[in-house]
Amino acid sequence: MPNLFLLIVLGVTLLLLIVVGVYVIVHFGHPDDKNDAYLPKIVVLFGFVLAFGTVLLLPLDVANGEGFVGCVGWDDIGCGGLDMALFWEIVFWTITVTLFFVIPFTSFYYETDDFLLSSVTSDKIEKIGCGTKLKNALCWEFMVAVVIGCILFISFTFSNQTKIPVTVMTGSSVNEAATFTFPAGSPFAIDDFEDVQTSEITDAALASVNESEENIEIELTFTQFLPAILVFLGYFFFSIFAGIGLVAIPMDLIRSYIDRPVHMDAVEYANAQIKIRQRVNDLVAEGEELAKTKDEDLSSLGFWERRKKSNETSAQLKQFKKNVYLLEEDYDVLKLAKNYHSRFGVLFYPLKLALGVISGLISLLW
């Protein structure tokens, strides 16, 4: 029977992960998505709980007593009674489905607006509905599923065996070692070890005179293969993003100090507002020009000319989005500048600079 204490700890931990996940999403969520985009938020929350829950399964496994072979059934005193093998199988299958299907589909569905807006003219924008977004997201997800399916199929076909290193001890004479015979025709079970005495194991070891290292090949099931491929992919992406983070964190901290808000008097603040307003007007005009460009009839052009025109429009749209992002960032800095010292104090950004220098040194010495 499962241990009641472990069940309580499991439930409380799950509840805490959900509460922390909701807090993180609410705190760091974009204001424009405050009462919108519930599906991506639910997926993010589920991914948060799944990621941290997977890590916390390790101490749960230890507390459940899985390191002791008696927990299989013949000596389960002090064991938690939880079927951790089933737990791990459920978790790894959930990670696989979430990573390769749920998250990509949600991302495609949520970002379909940008894709469709860059592909249709303004007079068709109002016709974009849930059905069109769902169809587009499913098409992209189907392509992802085909690619992932091929990778998993090829990997499992050619890498579905594992080698376990063992030490083979060979005695000079079988009669010199203690023997243990299993019932003929009966499968081996852990319970069969119960009557083996320590003296018998010692006698068998003393009778052995030759040792050799060999590998036992075991064919894996697909469920057993999943942790291996997930760990490989995780290590691959970790090596990439960890390297990026080692560079990005010091740069972001130092850049935050360089672009820090400075205190402005009323005149300086008014002039900065005028400059921000002018940039807004310029971007509005640029956006209207982009809309006119997208509305142009390209049917009379050849294939390569249409493709070239489409690529140019796409590049202009990306640059426009970048300028909008920079404008929003500068506007946020301007809002902070008026009450900078009263809100942050004089040591907030110098502390960021110090942390940036320290993290930069750590990255160089990594």
Side-chain angles (χ1 to χ4, degrees):
M1 181 177 179
N3 187 288
L4 181 60
F5 176 74
L6 286 182
L7 292 177
I8 295 175
V9 170
L10 188 61
V12 172
T13 303
L14 180 61
L15 181 62
L16 288 176
L17 287 177
I18 294 175
V19 172
V20 173
V22 171
Y23 173 79
V24 170
I25 293 173
V26 172
H27 183 72
F28 293 100
H30 196 281
D32 294 343
D33 291 335
K34 185 176 181 180
N35 295 313
D36 197 6
Y38 291 108
L39 176 61
K41 291 177 182 177
I42 293 174
V43 173
V44 170
L45 176 62
F46 181 74
F48 179 90
V49 174
L50 182 61
F52 284 89
T54 303
V55 176
L56 294 177
L57 272 184
L58 293 172
L60 177 64
D61 202 337
V62 175
N64 192 57
E66 286 297 317
F68 179 49
V69 295
C71 288
V72 175
W74 60 272
D75 188 12
D76 56 358
I77 298 178
C79 300
L82 299 177
D83 189 352
M84 293 305 300
L86 179 61
F87 266 64
W88 284 112
E89 288 183 7
I90 293 174
V91 165
F92 282 124
W93 272 106
T94 305
I95 292 175
T96 303
V97 173
T98 304
L99 185 62
F100 297 136
F101 298 98
V102 177
I103 293 179
F105 172 78
T106 306
S107 178
F108 293 141
Y109 184 82
Y110 184 59
E111 298 179 358
T112 296
D113 289 335
D114 289 340
F115 172 79
L116 293 175
L117 289 176
S118 64
S119 304
V120 301
T121 56
S122 58
D123 60 337
K124 298 180 181 178
I125 290 178
E126 65 274 6
K127 298 180 182 179
I128 298 175
C130 181
T132 304
K133 294 171 62 175
L134 180 62
K135 179 181 177 181
N136 185 75
L138 287 174
C139 289
W140 283 102
E141 176 55 34
F142 176 75
M143 287 187 281
V144 171
V146 170
V147 173
I148 296 300
C150 291
I151 293 176
L152 292 178
F153 175 76
I154 295 174
S155 301
F156 179 70
T157 301
F158 294 97
S159 304
N160 63 343
Q161 290 186 339
T162 184
K163 295 181 179 180
I164 301 178
V166 295
T167 300
V168 178
M169 306 179 70
T170 306
S172 57
S173 174
V174 177
N175 296 327
E176 297 178 14
T179 59
F180 185 78
T181 304
F182 297 104
S186 300
F188 172 76
I190 295 294
D191 296 3
D192 296 327
F193 277 132
E194 187 174 5
D195 297 327
V196 177
Q197 304 297 321
T198 304
S199 59
E200 295 175 323
I201 299 176
T202 304
D203 292 340
L206 292 175
S208 301
V209 294
N210 298 319
E211 293 185 9
S212 61
E213 301 294 331
E214 297 184 8
N215 293 320
I216 298 178
E217 292 189 358
I218 298 178
E219 188 169 345
L220 301 176
T221 64
F222 189 75
T223 300
Q224 295 169 332
F225 173 76
L226 278 180
I229 192 67
L230 291 176
V231 168
F232 172 77
L233 292 176
Y235 181 81
F236 175 76
F237 285 106
F238 174 79
S239 63
I240 295 177
F241 290 108
I244 295 174
L246 290 174
V247 178
I249 291 178
M251 291 181 61
D252 285 346
L253 290 172
I254 296 174
R255 181 174 172 271
S256 178
Y257 173 79
I258 295 174
D259 298 334
R260 69 190 184 281
V262 295
H263 181 69
M264 297 180 180
D265 56 29
V267 176
E268 292 174 330
Y269 188 77
N271 291 333
Q273 282 184 316
I274 293 174
K275 292 181 180 179
I276 290 290
R277 191 178 298 114
Q278 182 60 43
R279 290 172 62 184
V280 170
N281 294 333
D282 293 341
L283 285 175
V284 170
E286 184 180 349
E288 292 176 350
E289 289 296 326
L290 278 174
K292 293 179 181 178
T293 302
K294 289 167 58 62
D295 288 341
E296 291 180 359
D297 186 9
L298 304 180
S299 59
S300 60
L301 301 178
F303 173 78
W304 292 111
E305 292 178 341
R306 290 200 307 270
R307 184 175 181 85
K308 180 180 178 181
K309 189 69 174 178
S310 177
N311 290 338
E312 291 176 354
T313 304
S314 178
Q316 292 174 356
L317 182 61
K318 290 179 181 178
Q319 184 62 41
F320 176 76
K321 291 181 178 180
K322 179 180 178 181
N323 293 336
V324 171
Y325 171 78
L326 293 175
L327 176 62
E328 291 176 345
E329 200 174 50
D330 291 342
Y331 178 69
D332 291 337
V333 172
L334 178 62
K335 288 194 300 183
L336 297 175
K338 192 172 184 179
N339 302 313
Y340 165 57
H341 292 296
S342 61
R343 182 170 182 177
F344 296 105
V346 297
L347 296 178
F348 181 75
Y349 283 95
L351 180 61
K352 277 193 169 184
L353 176 62
L355 291 176
V357 173
I358 294 173
S359 58
L361 294 175
I362 294 175
S363 298
L364 292 175
L365 298 175
W366 189 266

